Amino acid sequence: MNMNESSQPEFFTREFTQNPYPVYENLRKNNPIYKVMFPSGEFGWIITRYEDAVEILKDSRLSKDVAKRYGAENQSIFVNNMLFSDPPDHRRLRGLVQKAFTPKWIAGMRDHIQTIADNLLDQLESKDQMNLIDDFAFPLPIIVISEILGVPLEDQDKFRMWSNTIIDATSSEHAEMFEQHAQEFIEYLNAWFDKVRKEPGNDLISQLVVAEEAGEKLTENELLGVVALLIIAGHETTVNLIGNGILALLEHPSQRDLLIEQPELIHQAIEEMLRYNGPVEFSTSRWALEEIQFRDQFISQGELVIVALDSANRDEQQFPDADVFDITREKSPHLAFGKGIHLCLGAPLARLEGEIAVMTLLRRFPNMQLQADVHQLEWRPGMIVRGVKEIPLQL
């Protein structure tokens, strides 16, 4: 995928999905603010350099509110939440959820998450193979977020199916399933809210429903949007943090050996996994509220702007030896969880889950090996998450 300055980079092909980094490197050098047609058919700008990405993620001239761009009647129910809103709505919606994700509360979850990880790996003790995603990386965070929200654990496979369809909706193979799965998800949540109104518990959905009953806190659509976001974002990021992180260790055996010998490096290792091949490839959409001159480009009012987070995290100007996976790298200001007011609310929880998952796996199965050619692994389609569908391991 060598490109000279005049050639057009190939976006959103299978080859790009497998390894987008050569395309990103070329763009950072030659076209750091690049206009492209996205899989949705909409033209917009991709930002690839770190310094530019930080500015764009904090720029108040860009809106995340879909209703402002397309009209409230044309927006999906899944965007009625803090991720797709501007101040002052953003502060109100985020504030309601933030109470459940305090540092003290997250720290108190450590032992419980460790128990979940141990229980999942106990089930594999007698086996000599596993699929990392299905057997461990997916169930761990979905169990945690299901317990936080108070939804039944036996429905986790439904959540996974609905979540995958919604996340991957930008790829054509999932577009036709979107309406059906979105409707099923909405009906499920509405039925659950009715149940919680009659018998509220101590879980987060009960708190949000009670807040809604108290008036002016959440509308019905916002309740749906916020809970859907928590279910989807509450596990998608962590699934791919664990998957991509373990994959990086398997591809760099010396780094894996170092982490086994020095487990205290786990905090730095997780930050490097997030930087090196982060679980969220692109930021969610922003639209220009006015014409903006950004560097040497003019972004017209209403135009779409997206940050390639995984490109910014490989920017040589910000990270020396950016393409090297190094778990001893000093504190990393990577953008895996975004920047500014939309910085990921669940980042501390994802980090904790990632640390526990990686270290528990290494302790139990220090000699695990990848049971596939790394170049043949199938990466998920769609424009938001970066993750592999299956990672077969020999234990």
Side-chain angles (χ1 to χ4, degrees):
M1 206 186 294
N2 293 327
M3 300 176 295
N4 60 40
E5 187 164 345
S6 62
S7 68
Q8 294 293 306
E10 283 289 320
F11 275 103
F12 315 124
T13 61
R14 180 180 164 80
E15 189 183 8
F16 174 82
T17 305
Q18 295 285 110
N19 180 17
Y21 295 106
V23 170
Y24 291 149
E25 183 181 7
N26 174 275
L27 286 176
R28 287 194 303 271
K29 284 179 183 162
N30 300 313
N31 294 294
I33 301 153
Y34 189 74
K35 197 161 194 181
V36 65
M37 188 168 90
F38 291 102
S40 63
E42 184 172 11
F43 275 98
W45 300 88
I46 284 186
I47 311 294
T48 52
R49 283 183 187 162
Y50 181 91
E51 198 179 328
D52 295 344
V54 171
E55 276 195 43
I56 287 290
L57 292 171
K58 292 175 156 185
D59 196 324
S60 60
R61 296 172 300 172
L62 295 162
S63 168
K64 298 204 74 188
D65 190 334
V66 181
K68 283 182 189 167
R69 177 66 183 89
Y70 299 112
E73 67 284 357
N74 295 316
Q75 69 180 37
S76 154
I77 200 82
F78 300 110
V79 298
N80 285 300
N81 56 53
M82 52 277 187
L83 185 58
F84 299 100
S85 59
D86 299 331
D89 282 342
H90 172 268
R91 190 177 301 115
R92 174 177 61 88
L93 292 167
R94 189 177 173 109
L96 279 167
V97 179
Q98 203 150 14
K99 297 169 191 162
F101 289 91
T102 62
K104 183 182 175 185
W105 178 84
I106 288 168
M109 287 286 288
R110 179 178 287 276
D111 289 346
H112 184 52
I113 295 170
Q114 183 65 62
T115 301
I116 295 168
D118 288 334
N119 289 343
L120 287 169
L121 294 184
D122 284 346
Q123 296 167 31
L124 300 165
E125 202 69 75
S126 60
K127 299 183 179 175
D128 57 1
Q129 291 180 324
M130 76 184 282
N131 174 357
L132 178 65
I133 303 298
D134 285 355
D135 295 336
F136 189 60
F138 166 73
L140 176 71
I142 200 78
I143 289 169
V144 173
I145 198 65
S146 296
E147 289 182 355
I148 291 169
L149 290 169
V151 288
L153 204 50
E154 60 264 27
D155 293 330
Q156 60 174 276
D157 288 335
K158 290 183 195 167
F159 294 149
R160 184 183 193 181
M161 176 181 71
W162 296 329
S163 168
N164 282 353
T165 303
I166 292 160
I167 283 276
D168 297 340
T170 48
S171 82
S172 57
E173 66 183 271
H174 288 81
E176 63 271 18
M177 287 191 294
F178 179 83
E179 290 300 328
Q180 180 198 337
H181 284 179
Q183 195 54 42
E184 288 171 8
F185 196 12
I186 289 164
E187 286 169 8
Y188 176 95
L189 290 178
N190 277 329
W192 191 253
F193 297 155
D194 289 342
K195 182 176 183 297
V196 168
R197 283 190 184 97
K198 296 184 188 103
E199 306 167 40
N202 296 319
D203 53 82
L204 182 52
I205 287 183
S206 295
Q207 290 174 33
L208 293 172
V209 165
V210 169
E212 184 210 0
E213 300 286 304
E216 291 307 304
K217 299 293 177 79
L218 279 174
T219 66
E220 184 76 20
N221 280 352
E222 286 170 346
L223 181 62
L224 271 170
V226 167
V227 172
L229 174 68
L230 291 170
I231 290 173
I232 296 170
H235 79 274
E236 284 284 1
T237 306
T238 313
V239 172
N240 298 305
L241 164 56
I242 298 167
N244 298 359
I246 292 294
L247 200 55
L249 291 176
L250 294 169
E251 288 188 88
H252 301 85
S254 62
Q255 295 293 298
R256 174 171 70 169
D257 294 345
L258 181 60
L259 187 53
I260 290 171
E261 288 161 23
Q262 299 182 43
E264 67 276 9
L265 286 172
I266 184 59
H267 305 297
Q268 282 164 265
I270 291 294
E271 297 310 306
E272 182 65 346
M273 290 167 185
L274 287 162
R275 183 200 72 81
Y276 179 75
N277 198 8
V280 182
E281 186 163 359
F282 294 99
S283 70
T284 43
S285 304
R286 286 164 168 75
W287 292 273
L289 292 168
E290 58 193 70
E291 183 179 78
I292 296 169
Q293 181 176 1
F294 190 76
R295 307 291 184 251
D296 58 348
Q297 298 287 4
F298 284 91
I299 299 170
S300 300
Q301 183 179 358
E303 279 193 318
L304 175 63
V305 182
I306 285 180
V307 172
L309 300 169
D310 279 348
S311 172
N313 288 338
R314 292 274 192 113
D315 189 337
E316 306 78 358
Q317 301 299 314
Q318 181 66 36
F319 304 98
D321 300 317
D323 287 331
V324 175
F325 179 67
D326 176 11
I327 66 168
T328 66
R329 198 179 284 273
E330 289 306 303
K331 186 163 173 56
S332 170
H334 64 73
L335 302 177
F337 291 118
K339 194 87 178 171
I341 63 168
H342 291 282
L343 181 73
C344 175
L345 189 68
L349 181 61
R351 285 184 164 104
L352 179 61
E353 291 174 340
E355 286 176 19
I356 291 169
V358 170
M359 287 316 299
T360 309
L361 204 54
L362 288 179
R363 276 200 305 273
R364 288 285 189 96
F365 306 112
N367 301 315
M368 61 185 168
Q369 299 294 329
L370 184 62
Q371 279 289 92
D373 176 348
V374 72
H375 302 295
Q376 298 303 315
L377 293 174
E378 190 179 354
W379 291 81
R380 288 178 57 183
M383 265 205 55
I384 301 176
V385 299
R386 175 156 180 78
V388 183
K389 288 186 176 180
E390 292 183 8
I391 302 179
L393 297 179
Q394 180 77 36
L395 300 179

